[in-house]
Amino acid sequence: MIFSPKNTKMIYSSSTPKRHFLMALSIIFVLSSCQNDDIADNQNVSEFISALPENVTYPESNPYSKEKEDLGRLLYWDPIMSGNKDIACVSCHHPNLGYADGLSFSQGVGGQGLGKDRVNGVEVRRNAPTVINTAFNGINNNQQVDPELAPMFWDNRTESLEQQALLPMLSKEEMRGESIVEDAIVDTIIQRLNSIPEYVSQFEKAFGSNEINQENILAAIATFERGIVANNSRFDQYMRGDLTVLTDLEIDGMNAFIQVGCADCHGGPMFSDYKLHIIGVKDNITPVDRGATNKFDFRTPTLRNLNLTAPYMHNGIHTTLEDVMNFYESISDGDDDELNENLTLHKLDKEMKNLELDDDDITSIIAFMNTLNDDNFDKTIPNSVPSGLPVGGNINQ
Ligand code: HEC
Ligand code: HEC
């Protein structure tokens, strides 16, 4: 059955006995006007997943300006922001690597080279998520987003791009290094920026005064990041009404994605509920990473632009989408071979236990996830940065 964003017809093709059963059950539920979240058969796709907005919402406390965005780009690329002047934000979030770094675990201080060629850096204990579309972090399926409360990191430990941008600068592993203590790093960076006339004048243009302070630095970086958007994937075009852009296989995959329960967590325009979940991904680091609240709970990641952001999961343990699907299938089969050794199946979130993933659905769901890719985002690389240091830090070795 073909889904059109405007109609409210049933959306699933019932190919398995289980689906016939669910379909029958849902009719009974509808007849008795019962609500049941687990039975989605008679819902419209757009009740679960939807296109991204065409425009970014900027916070009232930090409205858009071109001057701030331009300044933010320079700060994002300039290794002057790191303790040893050798690492910039872009060292781990590079446009040629989908604003991520292609590594299971990022390499921070002391690192040389970019992506898979990066060596000698202090290992950061998590996989670098992409910066693309972080302007939309926290968005719900009604397109509402509050950029001041946008959850950040695999454990949602901070809110907003402004607050997030401070933490890599403070982090000994990521940017600060050993030579400067945490309490002094921001003042050191401010002093350095004040000694570079181009920065003094750029801050003046962006903020109306020449004041270089922490708040203005973070405001500029966040404004730059909010401009890195990819919101016109084939899925977005389809949801906005162009029904010709998806193939039958992809539409089957979209329906299966909802039917088997992926959208219970990967819902909304970003394909994330931005909540913490225990899904039981295996460990590959010592000491083990116990997640946000010590329960092996991690934030649902976006599924947009997965073609650019492998390897997957908080620890980059899965190299391909096939690997990810095998993990979900084994859990859905009640098998614990792929499960984190510190957990048992009954400790997983209920949405995870409710997954009903068959082998048949894997190809179509992967095809569907690939409709969420959009390669048309800002990839500008500045020719130089005001400090005169190598653009992006030691990434060209
Ligand atoms: C050494 C590599 C490295 C550097 C340098 C770095 N990051 Fe990250 N970034 C990471 C890793 C790893 C995470 C995930 C950490 C976690 O979740 O615990 C992350 C997370 C993020 C996130 C959260 C995305 C989301 O969806 O939750 C944003 C935004 C971000 N970084 C921006 C920046 C900015 C801005 C800078 C420069 C000020 C920067 N990063 C510097 C590795 C790096
Ligand atoms: C219980 C909520 C939940 C359900 C259901 C769920 N996921 Fe996830 N998904 C997550 C969380 C949380 C992570 C990150 C886990 C981690 O890093 O340890 C994740 C990670 C992923 C990733 C890796 C993305 C990246 O950038 O690293 C993919 C791909 C994915 N899920 C696809 C799916 C598909 C397809 C389904 C349905 C078969 C599904 N998920 C069902 C919560 C869920």
Side-chain angles (χ1 to χ4, degrees):
M1 206 174 300
I2 301 289
F3 160 73
S4 134
K6 294 198 184 69
N7 75 26
T8 49
K9 284 187 205 152
M10 309 253 295
I11 51 168
Y12 300 108
S13 56
S14 322
S15 53
T16 64
K18 188 192 102 213
R19 286 182 192 175
H20 284 299
F21 171 73
L22 279 178
M23 192 81 83
L25 205 64
S26 71
I27 291 165
I28 296 167
F29 270 96
V30 169
L31 289 176
S32 59
S33 346
C34 240
Q35 294 286 320
N36 186 322
D37 289 342
D38 293 333
I39 296 168
D41 300 55
N42 59 341
Q43 305 286 312
N44 189 295
V45 164
S46 59
E47 289 184 27
F48 296 90
I49 52 180
S50 50
L52 276 173
E54 298 193 49
N55 296 309
V56 170
T57 304
Y58 288 78
E60 270 174 43
S61 54
N62 186 21
Y64 175 80
S65 82
K66 172 94 172 54
E67 291 75 16
K68 269 193 260 184
E69 186 176 45
D70 291 346
L71 170 59
R73 183 191 311 278
L74 297 175
L75 297 171
Y76 183 93
W77 280 86
D78 198 334
I80 193 106
M81 308 299 283
S82 64
N84 302 326
K85 303 188 187 176
D86 61 350
I87 184 160
C89 306
V90 76
S91 309
C92 302
H93 301 279
H94 197 283
N96 296 349
L97 299 168
Y99 282 94
D101 63 9
L103 296 169
S104 291
F105 296 108
S106 287
Q107 284 194 35
V109 168
Q112 293 162 304
L114 182 65
K116 293 203 169 66
D117 299 326
R118 194 164 169 82
V119 291
N120 299 333
V122 177
E123 190 173 89
V124 176
R125 285 173 46 81
R126 287 199 180 136
N127 169 269
T130 179
V131 171
I132 302 170
N133 290 333
T134 47
F136 299 114
N137 274 22
I139 193 169
N140 68 22
N141 205 33
N142 299 320
Q143 320 284 303
Q144 291 161 321
V145 59
D146 183 344
E148 289 175 35
L149 298 177
M152 295 289 155
F153 292 121
W154 283 103
D155 50 12
N156 282 347
R157 68 182 174 280
T158 192
E159 285 171 338
S160 85
L161 286 169
E162 283 80 359
Q163 286 185 30
Q164 193 285 327
L166 176 63
L167 301 180
M169 294 184 232
L170 299 183
S171 157
K172 189 170 77 178
E173 293 78 22
E174 289 185 26
M175 294 177 80
R176 176 168 61 85
E178 305 269 3
S179 57
I180 301 169
V181 296
E182 189 177 320
D183 284 350
I185 185 70
V186 176
D187 286 342
T188 306
I189 293 170
I190 291 171
Q191 268 172 22
R192 290 179 188 168
L193 296 175
N194 265 314
S195 71
I196 300 170
E198 190 182 338
Y199 274 125
V200 175
S201 91
Q202 291 266 4
F203 271 88
E204 202 169 319
K205 276 193 229 150
F207 296 99
S209 74
N210 62 0
E211 199 178 1
I212 302 183
N213 59 30
Q214 177 176 307
E215 190 187 342
N216 291 347
I217 291 171
L218 302 180
I221 295 177
T223 304
F224 164 66
E225 291 176 292
R226 284 194 182 98
I228 303 167
V229 165
N231 56 356
N232 196 26
S233 66
R234 284 190 297 122
F235 169 77
D236 294 300
Q237 295 166 25
Y238 181 85
M239 294 305 283
R240 292 180 194 128
D242 185 350
L243 303 184
T244 63
V245 292
L246 298 192
T247 65
D248 288 349
L249 179 70
E250 290 161 349
I251 292 172
D252 283 351
M254 176 168 72
N255 290 333
F257 182 85
I258 297 171
Q259 170 76 23
V260 308
C262 309
D264 293 353
C265 302
H266 295 281
M270 281 291 277
F271 294 80
S272 171
D273 58 3
Y274 288 94
K275 293 195 176 118
L276 300 171
H277 290 284
I278 305 170
I279 74 164
V281 171
K282 272 199 174 151
D283 246 297
N284 56 354
I285 196 167
T286 329
V288 295
D289 186 343
R290 302 181 65 93
T293 68
N294 224 22
K295 295 179 187 149
F296 300 89
D297 44 349
F298 294 93
R299 196 244 349 253
T300 311
T302 181
L303 301 183
R304 287 178 174 269
N305 300 307
L306 293 172
N307 63 327
L308 303 171
T309 58
Y312 306 111
M313 303 297 178
H314 70 276
N315 55 7
I317 200 166
H318 294 308
T319 315
T320 64
L321 292 178
E322 284 77 11
D323 294 344
V324 173
M325 295 310 280
N326 289 339
F327 160 76
Y328 281 114
E329 193 189 17
S330 83
I331 302 275
S332 161
D333 290 347
D335 189 338
D336 59 11
D337 287 359
E338 294 280 324
L339 186 69
N340 188 307
E341 297 165 350
N342 303 284
L343 293 169
T344 54
L345 287 168
H346 89 267
K347 288 200 175 139
L348 301 182
D349 273 19
K350 77 170 188 326
E351 293 89 347
M352 200 60 195
K353 287 189 246 183
N354 289 344
L355 270 185
E356 303 252 11
L357 180 60
D358 294 330
D359 220 13
D360 302 348
D361 294 320
I362 290 184
T363 310
S364 67
I365 291 180
I366 292 177
F368 169 63
M369 289 194 283
N370 278 314
T371 71
L372 306 174
N373 300 328
D374 173 5
D375 204 28
N376 188 20
F377 50 85
D378 182 350
K379 303 186 192 77
T380 315
I381 301 181
N383 292 326
S384 62
V385 286
S387 66
L389 291 164
V391 177
N394 284 345
I395 57 176
N396 293 318
Q397 263 79 2

